[in-house]
Amino acid sequence: MKKLLLLASTVAMGVVPMFGQIQPSHDPATYAPADGYTLTNRWIISQMTVGPDAMNVVPFSSNNARTATILNGEVYVAETNADLNGILHRFDFASGASKGSLNLTINGEPLNGTLCANNVGVDDYGHLYVCGFRADLNKGSLQVYLVNPENGELTALPEISPLDAGESASAAAVRVDYIDVIGDLTGTECSGTVMAACNTDNLAVLRAVREQGTDEFVGGFDGFFFWDATAITETCPMITDTDAGKVSPQASWGTAPMVKMINDEEHLGESFYVDGFTTAPAIYNTQGTLTDSFNSCISLAPVVGTNGIAEFSLGDDNFAVWSVCQYDKTPGCTASVGTFGQGFDFADLKVLYTFPEAGLGNQSDGGTRAHCLMTKKYVDENNKEAVYILDYKCRNGLGVYVFAQEGFVDPNPSQGGVDGIEDDVNAPAVYFNLQGQKIDNPAAGLYIVKRGNKVTKELVK
């Protein structure tokens, strides 16, 4: 009787047990040390480790479970179910064990709508958020919600409404699939910024900023919500027009492009990647200038059509982890970790690992494009550093890898032991130029900035 009452109570709070669970396993591949670093797998649930016939439970059976994130020792995977209701599936960060699901509700009613939970993420101050797909921003607003991780109850943030400011990105439908967030969405500790690359007939990018202490989002491109598409003169790769004898940018980002902002001292994200269906990741600034890209190392560029990239640093070295290919390759749905050395120049990028060795799988995800790659840093008791890499691809797999300095001790992986995975945002800043040289008195420009265990690119004004 007590067990039945407990189950009823759990469901009432919005926490739904997951039945037919898949047991996490381990990547059977062995990754040899490379350049003083190691790669190991903590756990994995994938087509290649449990078999395609076993991937028949949510979220692994759903084309509408597209994004994932980490918060407080849990992995959250967002899904819009067959009833068009929003769900967050939860997994233990340390072991991969299922911890049930949260039904997302707003004012006590289910969050409902086409791909209403297309995005899940965490801002820089630990606020869990979800945001839905938007078919056309010319016909409405973009709505981001904060999530109570205990019961799934949502709090609506101010709507992002370019139309209210008299703006339209183009005459065509301005579709938003995926967003990225930086700073504080509540506007309490600092400003919060939301960005998206739009699937339109031009190269449109949305940028909305909630200034600290305010209760609205305003345009983040000198007061405007959208980039002027004519500002974009380069993409990656550039297209060679043999007949005209010139090299031109792509005409658009294509279907379901993504933005990934690069963190900075003030959480402004004024440099950011755009990663599209027809393009590889490229770094732009808010003036529309391409500052670096895989054009400098085109042999390492991912197969276009898969989207996902993140930067991180260990010690004095800087790295990127990026999606390599879609499910239609063999192996399918892999990612690479590469080092820039002590700078952040793509011309110096060197691949250290591609993982999983056998891939996550070869199951079509219905064209969602997103390959979620998220990193969290940890320093062990011997001051050795590592990042835990969350690796998620819709319909194909979910796992956590540990990329570390040689000698790093993963703290009690069977029991969790990763409570210290946090970045020190309050440590003194040490500045380096993009070649890795320390700068004592930085002038205006772009720098590598280290605070405690955290290293970012920052624009000094």
Side-chain angles (χ1 to χ4, degrees):
M1 181 64 179
K2 288 183 178 179
K3 184 176 181 180
L4 291 175
L5 288 174
L6 177 60
L7 177 60
S9 175
T10 301
V11 173
M13 290 176 62
V15 181
V16 181
M18 181 184 291
F19 299 100
Q21 298 172 15
I22 298 174
Q23 293 302 315
S25 58
H26 290 88
D27 182 349
T30 300
Y31 301 91
D35 288 9
Y37 293 93
T38 62
L39 181 74
T40 55
N41 174 245
R42 259 202 166 202
W43 57 268
I44 191 170
I45 302 169
S46 76
Q47 277 204 323
M48 305 309 293
T49 57
V50 304
D53 294 336
M55 300 285 279
N56 58 0
V57 299
V58 291
F60 305 109
S61 60
S62 172
N63 284 352
N64 293 338
R66 302 184 173 191
T67 55
T69 195
I70 306 167
L71 177 66
N72 296 335
E74 292 188 351
V75 175
Y76 294 85
V77 179
E79 183 202 11
T80 305
N81 67 15
D83 295 323
L84 302 186
N85 294 332
I87 305 288
L88 290 184
H89 303 283
R90 305 182 306 156
F91 298 85
D92 183 74
F93 175 76
S95 68
S98 171
K99 299 183 72 173
S101 302
L102 289 175
N103 291 321
L104 298 176
T105 59
I106 180 74
N107 298 323
E109 297 294 326
L111 178 68
N112 184 270
T114 302
L115 297 175
C116 64
N118 211 40
N119 297 264
V120 64
V122 178
D123 73 11
D124 292 325
Y125 288 84
H127 300 116
L128 185 67
Y129 67 84
V130 294
C131 180
F133 161 87
R134 189 69 193 179
D136 189 359
L137 277 182
N138 286 331
K139 296 181 179 179
S141 303
L142 189 68
Q143 181 66 71
V144 183
Y145 298 93
L146 298 184
V147 185
N148 183 330
E150 298 298 323
N151 58 20
E153 179 65 18
L154 304 177
T155 301
L157 292 172
E159 291 185 347
I160 297 171
S161 304
L163 281 181
D164 289 348
E167 286 192 62
S168 173
S170 73
V174 181
R175 168 176 159 173
V176 171
D177 286 77
Y178 302 110
I179 68 169
D180 189 38
V181 166
I182 202 169
D184 182 0
L185 284 171
T186 70
T188 303
E189 301 294 335
C190 66
S191 64
T193 300
V194 177
M195 287 195 69
C198 304
N199 174 38
T200 66
D201 288 342
N202 56 34
L203 302 173
V205 177
L206 170 75
R207 182 178 174 89
V209 178
R210 183 179 188 176
E211 298 290 354
Q212 186 175 9
T214 67
D215 58 1
E216 66 175 341
F217 283 96
V218 298
F221 293 114
D222 293 326
F224 294 95
F225 280 101
F226 294 110
W227 243 345
D228 178 356
T230 61
I232 308 303
T233 59
E234 293 183 83
T235 59
C236 176
M238 297 289 282
I239 302 300
T240 302
D241 186 340
T242 304
D243 294 336
K246 64 180 182 179
V247 177
S248 304
Q250 298 275 5
S252 75
W253 308 123
T255 304
M258 302 181 77
V259 163
K260 180 63 178 179
M261 284 179 276
I262 298 172
N263 218 329
D264 50 52
E265 181 177 3
E266 297 178 346
H267 302 289
L268 297 178
E270 293 183 328
S271 291
F272 47 89
Y273 286 92
V274 177
D275 189 3
F277 171 47
T278 59
T279 64
I283 302 174
Y284 294 87
N285 59 30
T286 52
Q287 285 71 51
T289 303
L290 187 148
T291 59
D292 207 352
S293 72
F294 279 95
N295 282 327
S296 301
C297 54
I298 202 67
S299 64
L300 303 182
V303 177
V304 295
T306 186
N307 304 338
I309 190 166
E311 291 185 358
F312 63 92
S313 298
L314 295 178
D316 295 327
D317 293 332
N318 304 305
F319 304 87
V321 55
W322 66 95
S323 179
V324 171
C325 64
Q326 275 279 37
Y327 49 81
D328 56 350
K329 305 298 179 183
T330 302
C333 302
T334 58
S336 285
V337 177
T339 177
F340 297 103
Q342 294 188 11
F344 262 116
D345 190 334
F346 269 80
D348 298 327
L349 185 62
K350 173 185 176 182
V351 173
L352 299 182
Y353 298 102
T354 297
F355 64 96
E357 185 177 89
L360 286 173
N362 299 102
Q363 176 68 45
S364 171
D365 60 8
T368 68
R369 314 297 175 205
H371 188 159
C372 294
L373 297 162
M374 181 179 178
T375 64
K376 283 287 190 179
K377 183 174 285 188
Y378 184 81
V379 181
D380 72 9
E381 60 186 10
N382 300 313
N383 210 33
K384 294 287 187 178
E385 298 181 356
V387 295
Y388 294 84
I389 301 172
L390 175 66
D391 184 19
Y392 175 65
K393 187 70 172 77
C394 176
R395 292 296 296 272
N396 287 277
L398 172 69
V400 171
Y401 283 79
V402 185
F403 178 80
Q405 295 173 334
E406 281 194 271
F408 173 81
V409 178
D410 194 5
N412 299 319
S414 64
Q415 302 174 21
V418 288
D419 293 337
I421 302 181
E422 296 293 341
D423 293 315
D424 188 356
V425 298
N426 297 313
V430 181
Y431 291 83
F432 302 84
N433 62 23
L434 298 184
Q435 289 71 48
Q437 300 166 320
K438 185 177 179 181
I439 305 297
D440 291 328
N441 297 297
L446 187 63
Y447 294 89
I448 301 165
V449 183
K450 184 172 183 179
R451 287 181 187 78
N453 298 319
K454 183 173 183 178
V455 180
T456 60
K457 285 182 190 172
E458 299 181 10
L459 185 64
V460 175
K461 297 181 179 179

